[in-house]
Structure formats: structure tokens, C-alpha cells
Short mmCIF file of all heavy atoms in Angstrom, two decimals:
data_model
loop_
_atom_site.label_atom_id
_atom_site.label_comp_id
_atom_site.label_asym_id
_atom_site.label_seq_id
_atom_site.Cartn_x
_atom_site.Cartn_y
_atom_site.Cartn_z
N SER E 1 37.40 -15.34 -75.17
CA SER E 1 37.16 -14.85 -76.53
C SER E 1 38.50 -14.66 -77.21
O SER E 1 39.17 -13.64 -77.01
CB SER E 1 36.38 -13.52 -76.50
OG SER E 1 36.37 -12.92 -77.79
N PRO E 2 38.93 -15.62 -78.01
CA PRO E 2 40.21 -15.47 -78.71
C PRO E 2 40.28 -14.19 -79.55
O PRO E 2 41.33 -13.55 -79.63
CB PRO E 2 40.28 -16.72 -79.59
CG PRO E 2 39.45 -17.74 -78.86
CD PRO E 2 38.32 -16.95 -78.24
N ALA E 3 39.15 -13.79 -80.13
CA ALA E 3 39.15 -12.58 -80.96
C ALA E 3 39.38 -11.34 -80.11
O ALA E 3 40.16 -10.45 -80.48
CB ALA E 3 37.82 -12.47 -81.71
N LEU E 4 38.72 -11.27 -78.94
CA LEU E 4 38.90 -10.12 -78.06
C LEU E 4 40.31 -10.11 -77.47
O LEU E 4 40.94 -9.06 -77.33
CB LEU E 4 37.85 -10.15 -76.95
CG LEU E 4 37.75 -8.92 -76.06
CD1 LEU E 4 37.39 -7.69 -76.87
CD2 LEU E 4 36.72 -9.14 -74.95
N LEU E 5 40.81 -11.29 -77.13
CA LEU E 5 42.17 -11.41 -76.61
C LEU E 5 43.17 -10.90 -77.63
O LEU E 5 44.09 -10.12 -77.30
CB LEU E 5 42.45 -12.87 -76.25
CG LEU E 5 43.83 -13.18 -75.66
CD1 LEU E 5 43.99 -12.55 -74.29
CD2 LEU E 5 44.06 -14.70 -75.59
N HIS E 6 42.99 -11.28 -78.87
CA HIS E 6 43.91 -10.84 -79.92
C HIS E 6 43.78 -9.34 -80.16
O HIS E 6 44.77 -8.65 -80.41
CB HIS E 6 43.62 -11.61 -81.21
CG HIS E 6 44.52 -11.25 -82.35
ND1 HIS E 6 45.87 -11.55 -82.36
CD2 HIS E 6 44.27 -10.60 -83.52
CE1 HIS E 6 46.41 -11.11 -83.47
NE2 HIS E 6 45.46 -10.53 -84.20
N ALA E 7 42.57 -8.83 -80.06
CA ALA E 7 42.33 -7.40 -80.32
C ALA E 7 43.07 -6.51 -79.33
O ALA E 7 43.49 -5.41 -79.66
CB ALA E 7 40.84 -7.10 -80.27
N CYS E 8 43.25 -7.00 -78.10
CA CYS E 8 43.95 -6.21 -77.07
C CYS E 8 45.43 -6.07 -77.36
O CYS E 8 46.07 -5.13 -76.86
CB CYS E 8 43.74 -6.84 -75.69
SG CYS E 8 42.05 -6.73 -75.06
N ARG E 9 46.00 -7.01 -78.11
CA ARG E 9 47.44 -6.99 -78.44
C ARG E 9 48.30 -6.86 -77.18
O ARG E 9 49.31 -6.15 -77.17
CB ARG E 9 47.77 -5.85 -79.41
CG ARG E 9 47.01 -5.86 -80.73
CD ARG E 9 47.30 -7.11 -81.56
NE ARG E 9 46.97 -6.94 -82.97
CZ ARG E 9 45.77 -7.10 -83.52
NH1 ARG E 9 44.74 -7.43 -82.75
NH2 ARG E 9 45.59 -6.96 -84.82
N GLY E 10 47.91 -7.55 -76.11
CA GLY E 10 48.70 -7.54 -74.89
C GLY E 10 48.54 -6.30 -74.04
O GLY E 10 49.24 -6.14 -73.03
N ARG E 11 47.64 -5.39 -74.41
CA ARG E 11 47.47 -4.14 -73.67
C ARG E 11 46.16 -4.13 -72.89
O ARG E 11 45.20 -4.80 -73.25
CB ARG E 11 47.43 -2.96 -74.63
CG ARG E 11 48.58 -2.85 -75.60
CD ARG E 11 48.42 -1.58 -76.42
NE ARG E 11 49.35 -1.55 -77.56
CZ ARG E 11 49.50 -0.50 -78.35
NH1 ARG E 11 48.78 0.60 -78.14
NH2 ARG E 11 50.36 -0.53 -79.35
N GLU E 12 46.16 -3.30 -71.87
CA GLU E 12 44.90 -2.94 -71.24
C GLU E 12 44.31 -1.78 -72.04
O GLU E 12 45.02 -0.84 -72.39
CB GLU E 12 45.11 -2.49 -69.79
CG GLU E 12 43.84 -1.98 -69.15
CD GLU E 12 44.09 -1.33 -67.80
OE1 GLU E 12 45.11 -0.62 -67.66
OE2 GLU E 12 43.28 -1.53 -66.91
N ILE E 13 43.02 -1.86 -72.33
CA ILE E 13 42.31 -0.75 -72.97
C ILE E 13 41.50 -0.07 -71.85
O ILE E 13 40.63 -0.68 -71.23
CB ILE E 13 41.38 -1.23 -74.09
CG1 ILE E 13 42.15 -2.17 -75.04
CG2 ILE E 13 40.81 -0.04 -74.84
CD1 ILE E 13 43.36 -1.57 -75.70
N PHE E 14 41.83 1.17 -71.62
CA PHE E 14 41.34 1.92 -70.46
C PHE E 14 40.63 3.15 -71.00
O PHE E 14 41.25 4.00 -71.64
CB PHE E 14 42.56 2.32 -69.61
CG PHE E 14 42.27 2.99 -68.31
CD1 PHE E 14 41.87 2.26 -67.21
CD2 PHE E 14 42.44 4.36 -68.17
CE1 PHE E 14 41.65 2.87 -65.98
CE2 PHE E 14 42.22 4.99 -66.95
CZ PHE E 14 41.82 4.24 -65.85
N PHE E 15 39.32 3.22 -70.80
CA PHE E 15 38.60 4.29 -71.47
C PHE E 15 37.39 4.73 -70.66
O PHE E 15 37.02 4.12 -69.65
CB PHE E 15 38.16 3.84 -72.87
CG PHE E 15 37.15 2.72 -72.87
CD1 PHE E 15 35.81 2.97 -73.08
CD2 PHE E 15 37.55 1.42 -72.68
CE1 PHE E 15 34.88 1.94 -73.08
CE2 PHE E 15 36.64 0.38 -72.68
CZ PHE E 15 35.30 0.64 -72.88
N GLU E 16 36.80 5.82 -71.11
CA GLU E 16 35.67 6.41 -70.43
C GLU E 16 34.39 6.00 -71.14
O GLU E 16 34.20 6.26 -72.33
CB GLU E 16 35.81 7.93 -70.42
CG GLU E 16 34.76 8.64 -69.60
CD GLU E 16 35.04 10.14 -69.54
OE1 GLU E 16 35.96 10.61 -70.24
OE2 GLU E 16 34.35 10.83 -68.78
N ASN E 17 33.49 5.35 -70.40
CA ASN E 17 32.23 4.95 -70.99
C ASN E 17 31.30 6.16 -71.09
O ASN E 17 31.55 7.22 -70.53
CB ASN E 17 31.59 3.84 -70.16
CG ASN E 17 30.67 2.96 -70.99
OD1 ASN E 17 30.65 3.03 -72.21
ND2 ASN E 17 29.91 2.12 -70.33
N SER E 18 30.18 5.99 -71.78
CA SER E 18 29.26 7.10 -71.99
C SER E 18 28.68 7.66 -70.71
O SER E 18 28.24 8.80 -70.66
CB SER E 18 28.13 6.65 -72.92
OG SER E 18 27.48 5.51 -72.40
N ASP E 19 28.68 6.85 -69.61
CA ASP E 19 28.15 7.33 -68.33
C ASP E 19 29.22 8.02 -67.48
O ASP E 19 28.98 8.38 -66.34
CB ASP E 19 27.52 6.18 -67.55
CG ASP E 19 28.52 5.06 -67.24
OD1 ASP E 19 29.70 5.19 -67.63
OD2 ASP E 19 28.11 4.06 -66.62
N GLY E 20 30.43 8.18 -68.04
CA GLY E 20 31.50 8.83 -67.31
C GLY E 20 32.35 7.88 -66.50
O GLY E 20 33.39 8.28 -65.96
N ARG E 21 31.94 6.61 -66.37
CA ARG E 21 32.68 5.64 -65.60
C ARG E 21 33.92 5.19 -66.37
O ARG E 21 33.86 4.89 -67.56
CB ARG E 21 31.80 4.43 -65.27
CG ARG E 21 32.51 3.27 -64.58
CD ARG E 21 32.96 3.63 -63.20
NE ARG E 21 33.84 2.62 -62.65
CZ ARG E 21 34.71 2.82 -61.66
NH1 ARG E 21 34.82 4.01 -61.12
NH2 ARG E 21 35.48 1.86 -61.21
N ILE E 22 35.08 5.16 -65.71
CA ILE E 22 36.30 4.64 -66.32
C ILE E 22 36.23 3.11 -66.26
O ILE E 22 36.05 2.52 -65.20
CB ILE E 22 37.55 5.13 -65.56
CG1 ILE E 22 37.60 6.67 -65.59
CG2 ILE E 22 38.80 4.54 -66.18
CD1 ILE E 22 37.74 7.27 -66.96
N VAL E 23 36.38 2.49 -67.40
CA VAL E 23 36.26 1.04 -67.48
C VAL E 23 37.48 0.47 -68.19
O VAL E 23 38.29 1.20 -68.78
CB VAL E 23 34.96 0.63 -68.21
CG1 VAL E 23 33.74 0.97 -67.38
CG2 VAL E 23 34.86 1.32 -69.57
N LEU E 24 37.62 -0.84 -68.14
CA LEU E 24 38.84 -1.46 -68.66
C LEU E 24 38.54 -2.80 -69.32
O LEU E 24 37.58 -3.49 -68.97
CB LEU E 24 39.85 -1.64 -67.53
CG LEU E 24 39.37 -2.36 -66.27
CD1 LEU E 24 39.65 -3.86 -66.35
CD2 LEU E 24 40.03 -1.77 -65.04
N VAL E 25 39.38 -3.12 -70.28
CA VAL E 25 39.37 -4.41 -70.96
C VAL E 25 40.82 -4.82 -71.10
O VAL E 25 41.62 -4.09 -71.68
CB VAL E 25 38.73 -4.30 -72.37
CG1 VAL E 25 38.74 -5.66 -73.06
CG2 VAL E 25 37.32 -3.74 -72.30
N TYR E 26 41.18 -6.00 -70.53
CA TYR E 26 42.59 -6.38 -70.72
C TYR E 26 42.82 -7.87 -70.52
O TYR E 26 42.04 -8.56 -69.87
CB TYR E 26 43.51 -5.54 -69.85
CG TYR E 26 43.63 -5.85 -68.38
CD1 TYR E 26 44.74 -6.50 -67.88
CD2 TYR E 26 42.66 -5.42 -67.48
CE1 TYR E 26 44.89 -6.73 -66.53
CE2 TYR E 26 42.80 -5.64 -66.12
CZ TYR E 26 43.92 -6.30 -65.65
OH TYR E 26 44.06 -6.52 -64.31
N PRO E 27 43.89 -8.38 -71.15
CA PRO E 27 44.15 -9.82 -71.14
C PRO E 27 44.77 -10.28 -69.83
O PRO E 27 45.56 -9.56 -69.21
CB PRO E 27 45.14 -10.00 -72.29
CG PRO E 27 45.83 -8.68 -72.41
CD PRO E 27 44.82 -7.65 -72.02
N MET E 28 44.41 -11.49 -69.43
CA MET E 28 44.95 -12.08 -68.21
C MET E 28 44.80 -13.59 -68.30
O MET E 28 43.68 -14.10 -68.46
CB MET E 28 44.19 -11.53 -67.00
CG MET E 28 44.56 -12.16 -65.66
SD MET E 28 46.14 -11.61 -65.00
CE MET E 28 45.79 -9.92 -64.58
N HIS E 29 45.89 -14.32 -68.19
CA HIS E 29 45.89 -15.79 -68.20
C HIS E 29 45.14 -16.37 -69.41
O HIS E 29 44.42 -17.36 -69.30
CB HIS E 29 45.28 -16.33 -66.91
CG HIS E 29 45.99 -15.90 -65.67
ND1 HIS E 29 47.34 -16.08 -65.48
CD2 HIS E 29 45.53 -15.27 -64.55
CE1 HIS E 29 47.69 -15.58 -64.30
NE2 HIS E 29 46.61 -15.09 -63.72
N GLY E 30 45.32 -15.73 -70.56
CA GLY E 30 44.69 -16.24 -71.77
C GLY E 30 43.23 -15.91 -71.92
O GLY E 30 42.59 -16.31 -72.90
N LYS E 31 42.68 -15.18 -70.97
CA LYS E 31 41.29 -14.72 -71.03
C LYS E 31 41.29 -13.20 -71.04
O LYS E 31 42.34 -12.56 -71.09
CB LYS E 31 40.50 -15.26 -69.84
CG LYS E 31 40.54 -16.78 -69.68
CD LYS E 31 39.94 -17.48 -70.87
CE LYS E 31 39.84 -19.00 -70.71
NZ LYS E 31 41.15 -19.67 -70.72
N VAL E 32 40.10 -12.58 -70.99
CA VAL E 32 40.00 -11.12 -71.00
C VAL E 32 39.10 -10.68 -69.86
O VAL E 32 37.98 -11.19 -69.71
CB VAL E 32 39.45 -10.59 -72.33
CG1 VAL E 32 39.38 -9.06 -72.31
CG2 VAL E 32 40.30 -11.07 -73.50
N ILE E 33 39.60 -9.74 -69.03
CA ILE E 33 38.81 -9.15 -67.96
C ILE E 33 38.08 -7.93 -68.50
O ILE E 33 38.66 -7.12 -69.21
CB ILE E 33 39.71 -8.70 -66.79
CG1 ILE E 33 40.43 -9.89 -66.15
CG2 ILE E 33 38.89 -7.97 -65.73
CD1 ILE E 33 41.39 -9.49 -65.04
N LEU E 34 36.80 -7.82 -68.14
CA LEU E 34 36.04 -6.61 -68.40
C LEU E 34 35.52 -6.08 -67.08
O LEU E 34 34.93 -6.84 -66.29
CB LEU E 34 34.87 -6.87 -69.35
CG LEU E 34 35.20 -7.13 -70.83
CD1 LEU E 34 35.57 -8.59 -71.05
CD2 LEU E 34 34.02 -6.76 -71.71
N GLY E 35 35.76 -4.83 -66.80
CA GLY E 35 35.28 -4.24 -65.54
C GLY E 35 35.37 -2.73 -65.62
O GLY E 35 35.83 -2.19 -66.62
N THR E 36 34.98 -2.04 -64.64
CA THR E 36 34.36 -2.46 -63.42
C THR E 36 33.23 -1.50 -63.13
O THR E 36 33.10 -0.48 -63.81
CB THR E 36 35.37 -2.52 -62.24
OG1 THR E 36 34.72 -2.86 -61.03
CG2 THR E 36 36.12 -1.22 -62.10
N THR E 37 32.43 -1.79 -62.14
CA THR E 37 31.34 -0.92 -61.75
C THR E 37 31.67 -0.24 -60.43
O THR E 37 32.67 -0.56 -59.78
CB THR E 37 30.04 -1.72 -61.62
OG1 THR E 37 30.28 -2.88 -60.81
CG2 THR E 37 29.55 -2.17 -62.99
#
């Protein structure tokens, strides 16, 4: 997702989801990882 990749601006976005789970979104090799469970 070029839009999501650009939105990260080279950073990992590390946040708490509504269920209390710490989750992450961050760029890697031109793609974006979303995790984790």
C-alpha cells in the first residue's frame, strides 16, 4: 500500500488497540507490516 507506506514516514507506529493488545504498523522492504496477535 503506497499510501500506508507513505503515511508511516519511515516510522513504526506502535499503539494500544481497543482490546488492550499492543500492535504495530511499520515499513519494511517497501511494504508495510501489520501485527501482531
